[in-house]
Amino acid sequence: MATPYVLVLYYSRQGKTARMAQHIARGVEQIDGIEARLRTVPDISANCEATEPSVPEQGAVYCSLEDLRDCHGLVLGSPTRFGNMAAPLKYFIDSTSSLWLTGALIDKPASVFTSTASLHGGQESTLLSMAMPLLHHGMLFSGLPYSEAELLSTNAGGTPYGASHWAGEQSERDLTEQELALCLAQGKRMGRLAKALRTEA
Ligand SMILES: Cc1cc2nc3c(=O)[nH]c(=O)nc-3n(C[C@H](O)[C@H](O)[C@H](O)COP(=O)(O)O)c2cc1C
């Protein structure tokens, strides 16, 4: 039988959300018997003729509907764009009606993460906007509890709605110790939840 996995699905243009995804995946893999599967989504274009190779030049491969259907938990990440998730990720989510129709994601744990240029530039609104489609899919939305001490000590990203990173105007800031710890904690929590709630297909 295939090892159960948590899908860490993200879009990232400048690499910050991708870095968070890697740390979250490390957290998932700290839980025995659960794997992390890193996946991304392609850019979208106003030109409907534009195409990309089906396997990206570098980084994670593109997510298939089967990757999403068969996961035991989902962590969804996006840069903040005008206080909301980025269009390429929303575009992928809008292609998941067949999973909604079959209830494929019902009762699976889910959580979200984001990166912004400015400290008060919409992290929490983005995280909440990302929660909405997951709730429509019947997933069990999970944030970060305040037992994670970094939620109180952070002077950059990190919210009870999910991990976040303050990247700076030019993406010049590294992830802080607290932001990293919260990514790891979120991954571990999702791994634990996926294991506890696991049901056979
Ligand atoms: C179209 C667009 C809209 C953006 N909107 C916001 C915003 O509302 N608030 C903010 O702080 N940053 C905003 N940003 C900046 C990105 O959220 C930020 O650079 C993020 O760290 C990028 O993540 P990435 O490195 O994973 O691509 C925006 C960037 C773009 C391209």
Side-chain angles (χ1 to χ4, degrees):
M1 193 187 305
T3 309
Y5 63 90
V6 170
L7 179 65
V8 183
L9 172 60
Y10 67 91
Y11 172 73
S12 180
R13 183 179 292 172
Q14 289 168 285
K16 289 310 193 71
T17 313
R19 274 208 68 202
M20 295 179 78
Q22 285 157 5
H23 287 288
I24 289 169
R26 277 192 198 107
V28 170
E29 298 237 335
Q30 286 186 11
I31 304 302
D32 269 354
I34 297 281
E35 285 180 354
R37 186 176 292 187
L38 270 175
R39 291 288 183 270
T40 189
V41 294
D43 264 315
I44 55 173
S45 165
N47 177 354
C48 61
E49 299 289 325
T51 55
E52 271 192 44
S54 55
V55 178
E57 296 276 320
Q58 55 183 13
V61 301
Y62 296 137
C63 191
S64 68
L65 282 182
E66 290 72 28
D67 287 326
L68 182 55
R69 181 192 66 199
D70 297 339
C71 76
H72 287 74
L74 170 67
V75 198
L76 194 64
S78 172
T80 289
R81 296 227 163 141
F82 302 116
N84 211 312
M85 81 177 96
L89 193 65
K90 179 67 165 54
Y91 186 81
F92 177 80
I93 291 171
D94 285 356
S95 77
T96 62
S97 302
S98 59
L99 304 189
W100 178 80
L101 281 167
T102 54
L105 301 178
I106 289 175
D107 289 349
K108 294 180 180 180
S111 65
V112 293
F113 60 102
T114 192
S115 173
T116 57
S118 52
L119 182 54
H120 301 291
Q123 293 185 352
E124 293 176 351
S125 62
T126 302
L127 294 170
L128 291 173
S129 78
M130 293 167 75
M132 276 188 271
L134 307 181
L135 292 168
H136 277 253
H137 269 292
M139 302 192 88
L140 301 171
F141 187 75
S142 155
L144 277 167
Y146 271 93
S147 50
E148 301 298 341
E150 291 81 6
L151 277 183
L152 285 167
S153 63
T154 182
N155 54 13
T159 85
Y161 309 98
S164 63
H165 169 50
W166 172 27
E169 201 178 344
Q170 307 297 328
S171 281
E172 72 282 2
R173 295 173 57 88
D174 280 335
L175 272 84
T176 65
E177 197 182 311
Q178 288 83 5
E179 289 172 336
L180 282 175
L182 291 168
C183 285
L184 206 64
Q186 186 164 338
K188 282 173 76 172
R189 187 173 203 214
M190 289 302 297
R192 281 197 307 274
L193 288 172
K195 192 170 176 178
L197 296 168
R198 184 180 167 189
T199 50
E200 297 311 326

